[in-house]
Amino acid sequence: MIIKILGASAGGGFPQWNCNCKNCANVRAGKPGFTARTQSSLAISADGKAWVLLNTSPDLRQQINDNPELGARAEDGHRNTPIKAAILTNGDVDHVVGLVNLREAQPLKVYGSSRVLDTLADNSIFNVLNLDNVERRELTMDTPTEIEGVDGSTGITIEAFDVPGKVALYLEKKDAGPSFGTQKGDTIGLKISSSAGKTFFYVPGCAEIDPPLAARIKGAALIFFDGTLYTNEEMLKQGLMPKTGERMGHMSMSGPDGSIAAFSDLDVARRVYVHINNSNPVLDENSEARKAVEAAGWDVGYDGMEINL
Amino acid sequence: MIIKILGASAGGGFPQWNCNCKNCANVRAGKPGFTARTQSSLAISADGKAWVLLNTSPDLRQQINDNPELGARAEDGHRNTPIKAAILTNGDVDHVVGLVNLREAQPLKVYGSSRVLDTLADNSIFNVLNLDNVERRELTMDTPTEIEGVDGSTGITIEAFDVPGKVALYLEKKDAGPSFGTQKGDTIGLKISSSAGKTFFYVPGCAEIDPPLAARIKGAALIFFDGTLYTNEEMLKQGLMPKTGERMGHMSMSGPDGSIAAFSDLDVARRVYVHINNSNPVLDENSEARKAVEAAGWDVGYDGMEINL
């Protein structure tokens, strides 16, 4: 199975259009040690021919152009694509808006929780993907689903599961208390298996590794995990936004409640951070935070990173 | 007034993700004479500091990165943007989806017809631009509107007007006959004036130059005009899509009903095609079509093209 990071950044990307934080200013100025990243998405393939997208970021058109294996093939007729399906793990803008790039009457299958599919149905703009060609399929939680392409199986099986998280920002209910109206299905993780028997996990958004999640991922060969923030209050402290990681539904990398600590006894062989916010000090390749993360055995994901399982 | 083309392509861009037409195959292969283009948008500024976007394409994040004058400024605090307002000329995906790139609680003003603002209101995903910060203002047709930024006038005045066109694809009503439910306000053109008294027109989608439109633009200094197709049936003939230009609400460049002919007695000093579809032979810089268009006095717009008025 080929796994490729199309975009390793959180919503807004790196640099973010309106952000002048130290990281964004440095990457915009081309300073060594800072590498631009597009928004959150992976592409996977069991055979190197049929590709499945894990989330569709607003940068998807650029990502397809940057990864020639995802472009239309010269030998396959006037209109064609190796992209056969897309799986959505939540309704966040950085994960669903890229769907509109997959228009032009191309057959395709889109998988998501009922909550996320309801959001697509509520937003007429997604009807630009003609429902006659683009089938939307609900992922039943905790049940392996063979991901079909247009012309048969993609050789990929996905088991989706609820993880602690938060409803998408634009769907928050202000009068619903601290949950903001979050329900099951708003944030899911994926266990992805190839027909050759290889398996990895993809959890780009996660508020907490609770015991069921810990039990599920223990001993895994590989995980791509929520790397939004290094510390819970870094956006406040940098004067960027009055929100903690907790408020946004993202656990931090560091600290006693962080992901580095939570994974310390989970025996996950390879751990890669994705969905990395521009405020995160690990984006400075010479920072203490970067060294600490790498010393703990984590990779900081980057666009174009490829792992073969 | 500075006018910059951020993207000169129609929906899908050039190359288009799933397209293997001659133009797309050639530009994807890097063949000389073919230049990639992002999707349809202009940026304008009366003072070189405050910028107004004319349409917001799905490629907007890439376009901001490619045009440093639109990025956050190093001297203006943690979060800032020179982009003060966006004007939408229709509800097409290639013109409105880029709005989601302008999130992150940045104050901004969005202008459009009531039809287009209704579409934004109907699609909750646009609420990611917090309505507490991002004011949506209706453009009254045939009335000059001074475009306000966040901190006063942008020095730009816009007069919007209805033009013959079609409702956005995803909003088409199948049972509404040949109009597909198109109403006034679905496609507008803009007359744009600077505080220094310079004026140009922007009409990226247009089904026909009818007498009122001809009278309006006659004698103009500059127009950016719908360059979607060269011939009405080129997409059918190339085997790409069973739709004519007429069906899509776009008049062609060539032929007795085309824009080259229609402009021949309108005395518009400078004419630039934008919103150019990947099927259009003018994208081949060595084609007969390209030569014919240029011989008729038209420019074929490209990303980064800048005109000062």
Side-chain angles (χ1 to χ4, degrees):
Chain A
M1 180 157 45
I2 310 168
I3 306 156
K4 199 159 184 186
I5 296 182
L6 300 184
S9 178
F14 183 53
Q16 178 178 301
W17 73 293
N18 68 334
C19 191
N20 189 33
C21 74
K22 202 173 147 195
N23 280 342
C24 284
N26 282 331
V27 75
R28 203 174 276 120
K31 191 170 168 184
F34 296 85
T35 305
R37 284 164 170 82
T38 60
Q39 291 166 90
S40 182
S41 174
L42 262 57
I44 58 175
S45 178
D47 60 6
K49 291 177 188 165
W51 288 84
V52 175
L53 301 180
L54 306 185
N55 289 318
T56 55
S57 99
D59 297 320
L60 182 55
R61 183 170 179 273
Q62 181 181 353
Q63 292 166 340
I64 292 172
N65 285 341
D66 288 346
N67 292 277
E69 61 271 52
L70 298 180
R73 296 210 170 117
E75 64 276 19
D76 280 353
H78 290 310
R79 291 275 165 103
N80 74 84
T81 176
I83 298 170
K84 303 302 178 187
I87 325 285
L88 307 175
T89 66
N90 63 21
D92 282 357
V93 161
D94 53 328
H95 284 159
V96 305
V97 164
L99 275 184
V100 301
N101 290 296
L102 303 178
R103 63 194 190 277
E104 309 294 349
Q106 193 68 46
L108 194 76
K109 295 207 165 36
V110 176
Y111 292 82
S113 70
S114 62
R115 283 281 285 175
V116 171
L117 295 187
D118 285 349
T119 298
L120 299 188
D122 286 344
N123 280 267
S124 62
I125 200 149
F126 293 111
N127 293 341
V128 77
L129 278 69
N130 190 329
L131 291 168
D132 295 340
N133 300 321
V134 179
E135 195 182 337
R136 298 177 186 172
R137 290 199 181 176
E138 184 183 337
L139 287 171
T140 306
M141 297 301 114
D142 307 312
T143 306
T145 302
E146 194 180 339
I147 303 302
E148 281 186 40
V150 179
D151 33 22
S153 173
T154 59
I156 303 278
T157 296
I158 284 192
E159 184 176 337
F161 48 88
D162 276 302
V163 298
K166 189 187 68 63
V167 67
L169 174 62
Y170 63 92
L171 299 173
E172 286 185 359
K173 290 189 174 24
K174 288 181 181 170
D175 55 358
S179 80
F180 299 99
T182 300
Q183 296 181 25
K184 281 202 177 290
D186 278 331
T187 309
I188 63 172
L190 306 177
K191 178 183 179 184
I192 298 126
S193 306
S194 70
S195 43
K198 302 291 185 179
T199 291
F200 75 100
F201 286 86
Y202 175 58
V203 185
C206 187
E208 182 199 355
I209 299 182
D210 58 11
L213 179 56
R216 195 185 290 269
I217 60 184
K218 192 169 170 63
L222 170 65
I223 193 165
F224 294 85
F225 193 77
D226 182 344
T228 312
L229 302 178
Y230 190 67
T231 52
N232 188 46
E233 298 190 343
E234 72 191 39
M235 295 187 70
L236 285 87
K237 287 186 175 164
Q238 294 180 43
L240 303 178
M241 181 82 89
K243 281 184 183 174
T244 61
E246 205 169 54
R247 167 66 183 82
M248 298 189 296
H250 296 291
M251 67 190 294
S252 303
M253 294 178 175
S254 67
D257 298 327
S259 50
I260 293 174
F263 273 84
S264 62
D265 59 357
L266 292 181
D267 303 317
V268 177
R270 188 158 187 194
R271 288 148 277 154
V272 183
Y273 281 124
V274 290
H275 197 272
I276 305 163
N277 195 52
N278 55 76
S279 59
N280 193 321
V282 304
L283 290 174
D284 175 353
E285 292 157 24
N286 300 307
S287 66
E288 292 304 314
R290 177 64 163 260
K291 287 174 199 158
V293 161
E294 290 177 346
W298 285 80
D299 282 302
V300 175
Y302 55 89
D303 293 15
M305 184 181 188
E306 187 175 318
I307 295 178
N308 289 275
L309 265 193
Chain B
M1 180 158 43
I2 309 168
I3 306 156
K4 199 159 182 185
I5 296 182
L6 301 184
S9 177
F14 184 52
Q16 179 178 302
W17 74 293
N18 68 334
C19 190
N20 190 32
C21 74
K22 201 173 148 197
N23 280 342
C24 284
N26 282 331
V27 74
R28 203 175 275 121
K31 191 170 168 184
F34 296 85
T35 304
R37 285 165 169 82
T38 60
Q39 292 166 90
S40 179
S41 173
L42 262 59
I44 57 173
S45 179
D47 60 7
K49 292 177 189 164
W51 288 85
V52 175
L53 302 179
L54 306 184
N55 289 318
T56 57
S57 99
D59 297 321
L60 181 56
R61 183 171 179 273
Q62 182 182 352
Q63 292 166 339
I64 291 172
N65 286 340
D66 288 347
N67 292 277
E69 61 270 51
L70 298 181
R73 297 212 168 115
E75 64 276 20
D76 279 352
H78 291 309
R79 292 275 165 103
N80 74 82
T81 177
I83 299 170
K84 304 302 179 187
I87 324 286
L88 308 175
T89 66
N90 64 19
D92 282 357
V93 161
D94 54 327
H95 283 159
V96 305
V97 164
L99 273 184
V100 301
N101 290 297
L102 303 178
R103 64 195 189 277
E104 310 293 350
Q106 193 70 45
L108 194 76
K109 295 206 166 37
V110 176
Y111 292 82
S113 71
S114 62
R115 284 282 284 175
V116 172
L117 295 187
D118 285 350
T119 298
L120 299 187
D122 286 345
N123 280 268
S124 62
I125 201 150
F126 293 111
N127 293 340
V128 76
L129 277 70
N130 189 329
L131 291 168
D132 295 340
N133 300 321
V134 178
E135 196 182 336
R136 297 178 186 171
R137 289 200 181 175
E138 184 182 337
L139 286 172
T140 306
M141 296 301 112
D142 308 312
T143 306
T145 302
E146 193 179 340
I147 303 302
E148 281 187 38
V150 178
D151 33 22
S153 174
T154 59
I156 302 278
T157 297
I158 284 192
E159 183 175 337
F161 48 89
D162 276 301
V163 299
K166 189 187 69 64
V167 68
L169 174 62
Y170 63 92
L171 299 174
E172 286 185 359
K173 289 188 174 26
K174 288 181 181 172
D175 55 358
S179 79
F180 300 99
T182 301
Q183 297 181 24
K184 281 204 176 291
D186 279 331
T187 309
I188 63 173
L190 305 177
K191 179 183 179 183
I192 298 127
S193 306
S194 70
S195 42
K198 302 291 184 178
T199 292
F200 75 100
F201 286 86
Y202 175 57
V203 185
C206 186
E208 181 199 355
I209 299 181
D210 58 9
L213 179 57
R216 196 184 288 268
I217 59 185
K218 193 170 170 62
L222 170 65
I223 192 165
F224 294 84
F225 193 76
D226 183 344
T228 311
L229 302 177
Y230 190 67
T231 52
N232 187 45
E233 299 190 343
E234 72 190 40
M235 294 187 71
L236 286 87
K237 287 186 175 165
Q238 293 180 43
L240 303 177
M241 181 82 90
K243 282 184 182 174
T244 61
E246 206 170 54
R247 166 66 182 84
M248 298 190 295
H250 296 291
M251 66 189 294
S252 303
M253 295 177 174
S254 66
D257 299 325
S259 50
I260 293 174
F263 273 84
S264 62
D265 59 356
L266 291 181
D267 304 316
V268 177
R270 188 158 187 193
R271 289 148 277 153
V272 182
Y273 281 124
V274 290
H275 197 272
I276 304 163
N277 196 52
N278 55 79
S279 59
N280 193 320
V282 303
L283 290 174
D284 175 353
E285 292 157 23
N286 300 307
S287 66
E288 291 305 313
R290 178 63 162 259
K291 287 174 199 158
V293 161
E294 290 177 346
W298 285 80
D299 282 300
V300 175
Y302 55 89
D303 294 15
M305 184 182 187
E306 188 175 317
I307 296 179
N308 290 276
L309 265 193

